[in-house]
Amino acid sequence: MAKQCRNSRQLVHSQHTKSQMATEIAIGAWCSRVGKSSWDMNVSIEDPINGKQLAKMVSTLVSVDETLTKSKPLPNVDVIKSLTTPSEFPSDFMSDFPDSMSRPLDVPHREGIVRLVDTDKLRHINNCKYVFLACEELFLQRANIIGRVDEDSVHDFFQSVDGVYVQYTGQLKAGEVYKSFVWRTKDLPYIQVDFEAVNNDPMCSVIFRIAQGQAHL
């Protein structure tokens, strides 16, 4: 983990129907790349006792002009570059995730409206919120199948996911209608949730990788 973040810690409480527990984790975040208008953030979550890495993430952030709602050059790029720490993650650590996969033609869809609470300051859905919406779609599908929200199966699903990949291709803004598709690969351990505009333009795909030997939701 990057030196300047080694000592940052957070106490996390996880509660579900089977038990209650509290776990202390160490979280480090650092900038690993700086471009003209974007930069990469690396996050590492570790066990503070034995140093074992529990999760890792790389996210690309973009500097945005809030008035024009488009990217703008970063200020003081040279200063920012001097504070970067090269990524400790292998460059191919996400290579086992496929790009957005071809969805079968017979996958049904659900229509929804982007709520204001789903959007950020720029009134559009960002990558993090797409993951939350993808989880909502998964659990809605499960509830439709069994007639209720099964909390134990929700917990078991999160326990089975060992990676999430977000492929962001377009903006959905507050008040806009979107279509969502939930489908599972037949021979590969992935569940994919696709979001499209009403004109069928792709907006985002969220891919969940299921750990080997774990059942799908």
Side-chain angles (χ1 to χ4, degrees), residues 113-130 132-133 168 171-176 178:
I113 298 178
V114 180
R115 301 162 297 191
L116 190 60
V117 71
D118 297 326
T119 62
D120 57 19
K121 190 175 182 180
L122 298 176
R123 295 293 186 264
H124 75 274
I125 304 175
N126 58 36
N127 286 9
C128 294
K129 195 62 182 185
Y130 268 122
F132 280 99
L133 289 177
Y168 182 96
Q171 293 190 71
L172 281 172
K173 297 186 177 182
E176 293 183 342
Y178 64 87

Side-chain angles (χ1 to χ4, degrees), residues 94 97-103 125-135 163-172 179-183 190-197 200-209:
M94 293 290 287
F97 272 94
D99 287 332
S100 180
M101 297 170 283
S102 297
R103 185 177 67 243
I125 304 175
N126 58 36
N127 286 9
C128 294
K129 195 62 182 185
Y130 268 122
V131 175
F132 280 99
L133 289 177
C135 291
V164 181
Y165 177 71
V166 181
Q167 186 176 39
Y168 182 96
T169 54
Q171 293 190 71
L172 281 172
K179 296 189 291 186
S180 59
F181 303 79
V182 179
W183 59 285
Y190 302 106
I191 297 176
Q192 181 164 318
V193 183
D194 297 324
F195 295 92
E196 295 182 356
N200 299 323
D201 284 346
M203 295 289 115
C204 186
S205 291
V206 180
I207 304 173
F208 298 92
R209 184 179 61 210

